[in-house]
Amino acid sequence: MTEFPHTINIDVFPMSGYDIGEKEPILKKDTSKSQRVIRLAKKFEIEGIRRSVEAILVVHKHNFPHILIFSDTEKNYFLPGGRLRKDEDEVEGLKRKLQTKLHPDLLQHDQIEWEVSEQIAVWWRPNFEDTVFPYIPPHITKPKEVITQYLVQLPKTCSLSVPENYQMLAIPFFEFYDNAHRWGSRLESLPRNLSRIKFNLKD
Amino acid sequence: MTEFPHTINIDVFPMSGYDIGEKEPILKKDTSKSQRVIRLAKKFEIEGIRRSVEAILVVHKHNFPHILIFSDTEKNYFLPGGRLRKDEDEVEGLKRKLQTKLHPDLLQHDQIEWEVSEQIAVWWRPNFEDTVFPYIPPHITKPKEVITQYLVQLPKTCSLSVPENYQMLAIPFFEFYDNAHRWGSRLESLPRNLSRIKFNLKD
């Protein structure tokens, strides 16, 4: 029998228990990369470092844990999450983001208790570009963004609503690993960053 | 000012506070790769999965955190650690390994209090080869080894003794990142796996 040395255990449930619907689209704020850089640079001057949060939601399919990610119409892949407001707490802000990006209409569905658990990784963006690092690189005194990833425990079953211009995908751990070219460094790193967690696959 | 979202803080001290001496060499058990495979396969039949532990010791130099690693005469790079005995607890076993691989002679030095803290990552070896994964790959029912990595807090200052056939190196985080070719996957992953920890650089 395989002995597990992990100190942290998380229950994960079958993908089939989640009912995936649609909700209003999430519109992009920028029409080009350069417009985005200009907007972020202006904001940085006023507000300082941008703080973002991302949720790692794990389910299982075919007896293997999978991570729920979004893809947009340009085939970008990313975790549910977003930017925090000024002085907003990370955990509260992440719950707010999950509410806007994944929660169905409250008139027809009960409120999901988003259970934000372990902090998994922290990534730093040294300038207004795509590249991020899991540390503040030497000689960078003013990183432009810090992105914190949290494991979020889903209830056994619930309804989720995906913005209609996004797709939700469930990707097995082994697809991410060692494939930064496809997924980008944050998604690619998830299997290593989650290796200290034992996922109990429940029925 | 940069705001840090990390939930875990660890104090690290200057490399200059550690006095590095020598101790008796650690002899290799195998003279070839095939001999090693045969020895491990025999042992696996009797004892089942091999359980190993590794220590991540962090210091600072030039205002940047560095990780202490060994290199051997064949330029293999690895963390201090080793195989657990049957039924041995991970934390106790890691302290025993640090004692044999890094502690100086107790007649001349006080016992270092090895403070084993956070579990950082868990790696699985599906067969008796070099490749390891941060999960049990699909279709692998009997992994051959599980390696658990822990952060170990060093005292502010102490003497360490390195086996005379090893070298001790202090490598900055950015050297490991994205360079699996040089360091192997376990060392290369350390910056990501440690990104959730805030290292406070102390004097």
Side-chain angles (χ1 to χ4, degrees):
Chain A
M1 232 213 76
T2 304
E3 292 173 69
F4 289 95
H6 306 71
T7 45
I8 296 168
N9 281 254
I10 299 280
D11 288 345
V12 301
F13 300 101
M15 184 64 193
S16 56
Y18 304 104
D19 180 42
I20 313 289
E22 268 195 358
K23 67 192 303 182
E24 64 285 4
I26 292 188
L27 302 173
K28 280 192 100 167
K29 286 194 179 131
D30 313 292
T31 52
S32 70
K33 272 203 171 180
S34 55
Q35 199 195 31
R36 179 177 164 83
V37 168
I38 292 164
R39 182 174 63 85
L40 294 180
K42 272 188 191 160
K43 212 159 195 169
F44 182 81
E45 276 203 13
I46 301 161
E47 300 184 3
I49 190 167
R50 178 187 176 97
R51 296 180 305 131
S52 298
V53 285
E54 293 182 338
I56 303 162
L57 301 161
V58 183
V59 300
H60 71 85
K61 260 167 89 171
H62 318 300
N63 270 314
F64 208 80
H66 288 56
I67 299 168
L68 298 184
I69 64 168
F70 285 143
S71 78
D72 66 14
T73 49
E74 288 151 26
K75 296 278 170 210
N76 296 307
Y77 301 107
F78 49 95
L79 292 170
R83 190 176 68 88
L84 297 178
R85 292 174 180 156
K86 194 166 153 43
D87 301 323
E88 187 177 31
D89 172 78
E90 273 85 9
V91 172
E92 288 315 304
L94 184 55
K95 287 181 182 176
R96 179 175 60 79
K97 286 292 173 187
L98 288 170
Q99 203 67 15
T100 53
K101 296 199 171 163
L102 269 179
H103 207 293
D105 188 348
L106 281 175
L107 290 176
Q108 290 157 51
H109 295 274
D110 289 338
Q111 173 61 45
I112 299 168
E113 288 309 322
W114 303 111
E115 200 187 322
V116 178
S117 72
E118 290 290 307
Q119 202 179 71
I120 297 299
V122 179
W123 293 86
W124 299 89
R125 195 183 303 280
N127 33 51
F128 302 108
E129 283 164 32
D130 287 344
T131 312
V132 291
F133 295 90
Y135 46 81
I136 302 175
H139 313 301
I140 297 292
T141 52
K142 288 183 180 172
K144 301 304 180 283
E145 184 176 7
V146 56
I147 304 157
T148 315
Q149 297 174 326
Y150 292 88
L151 195 57
V152 176
Q153 279 212 267
L154 279 171
K156 186 177 171 170
T157 177
C158 68
S159 293
L160 298 170
S161 281
V162 174
E164 64 180 32
N165 56 335
Y166 291 178
Q167 249 196 303
M168 172 161 273
L169 309 170
I171 306 294
F173 282 27
F174 56 83
E175 287 264 356
F176 290 115
Y177 182 61
D178 214 9
N179 197 353
H181 180 71
R182 172 152 192 201
W183 303 108
S185 47
R186 295 213 297 296
L187 292 181
E188 189 268 328
S189 296
L190 288 172
R192 316 173 204 213
N193 282 329
L194 294 169
S195 70
R196 68 187 174 93
I197 314 273
K198 178 164 186 310
F199 295 99
N200 299 317
L201 309 189
K202 298 281 185 183
D203 287 334
Chain B
M1 230 211 79
T2 304
E3 293 174 68
F4 289 95
H6 306 72
T7 46
I8 296 168
N9 282 254
I10 298 280
D11 287 347
V12 302
F13 301 100
M15 184 65 194
S16 55
Y18 304 103
D19 180 41
I20 314 289
E22 268 195 358
K23 66 193 303 183
E24 65 286 2
I26 293 189
L27 302 173
K28 280 193 99 167
K29 286 193 178 132
D30 312 292
T31 51
S32 72
K33 272 204 173 180
S34 54
Q35 199 195 30
R36 180 176 164 84
V37 169
I38 292 164
R39 181 174 64 83
L40 293 180
K42 272 188 191 160
K43 212 159 193 168
F44 183 80
E45 277 201 13
I46 301 162
E47 299 184 4
I49 190 167
R50 178 185 175 101
R51 295 180 306 131
S52 298
V53 285
E54 293 182 339
I56 303 162
L57 301 161
V58 182
V59 300
H60 71 86
K61 259 168 89 172
H62 317 301
N63 269 315
F64 209 80
H66 288 57
I67 299 169
L68 299 184
I69 63 169
F70 285 144
S71 77
D72 65 12
T73 48
E74 288 150 28
K75 296 277 170 210
N76 296 307
Y77 301 107
F78 49 96
L79 293 170
R83 190 176 68 89
L84 298 178
R85 293 174 180 157
K86 194 167 155 39
D87 301 322
E88 188 176 31
D89 172 79
E90 273 85 8
V91 172
E92 287 316 302
L94 183 55
K95 287 181 181 176
R96 178 175 61 79
K97 286 291 171 186
L98 288 170
Q99 203 66 16
T100 54
K101 297 198 171 162
L102 270 179
H103 207 293
D105 188 347
L106 281 176
L107 291 176
Q108 291 158 50
H109 296 274
D110 289 337
Q111 174 61 44
I112 298 169
E113 288 308 321
W114 303 110
E115 199 187 324
V116 179
S117 72
E118 290 290 307
Q119 202 180 71
I120 297 299
V122 179
W123 293 87
W124 300 88
R125 196 183 302 279
N127 33 51
F128 302 109
E129 283 163 32
D130 287 344
T131 312
V132 290
F133 296 89
Y135 47 80
I136 303 175
H139 314 301
I140 297 293
T141 52
K142 288 182 181 171
K144 301 305 181 281
E145 184 175 6
V146 56
I147 303 157
T148 315
Q149 296 175 328
Y150 293 88
L151 194 58
V152 176
Q153 280 212 264
L154 279 169
K156 185 176 171 168
T157 176
C158 66
S159 293
L160 298 170
S161 281
V162 174
E164 64 180 32
N165 57 334
Y166 290 178
Q167 249 197 304
M168 173 162 273
L169 309 170
I171 307 292
F173 282 29
F174 57 82
E175 287 264 355
F176 289 115
Y177 183 61
D178 215 10
N179 197 352
H181 180 72
R182 171 152 192 201
W183 303 108
S185 46
R186 294 213 297 296
L187 292 181
E188 188 269 329
S189 297
L190 288 172
R192 316 175 204 212
N193 282 328
L194 294 168
S195 70
R196 68 187 174 93
I197 314 273
K198 178 164 186 311
F199 295 99
N200 298 318
L201 310 189
K202 298 280 186 184
D203 286 334

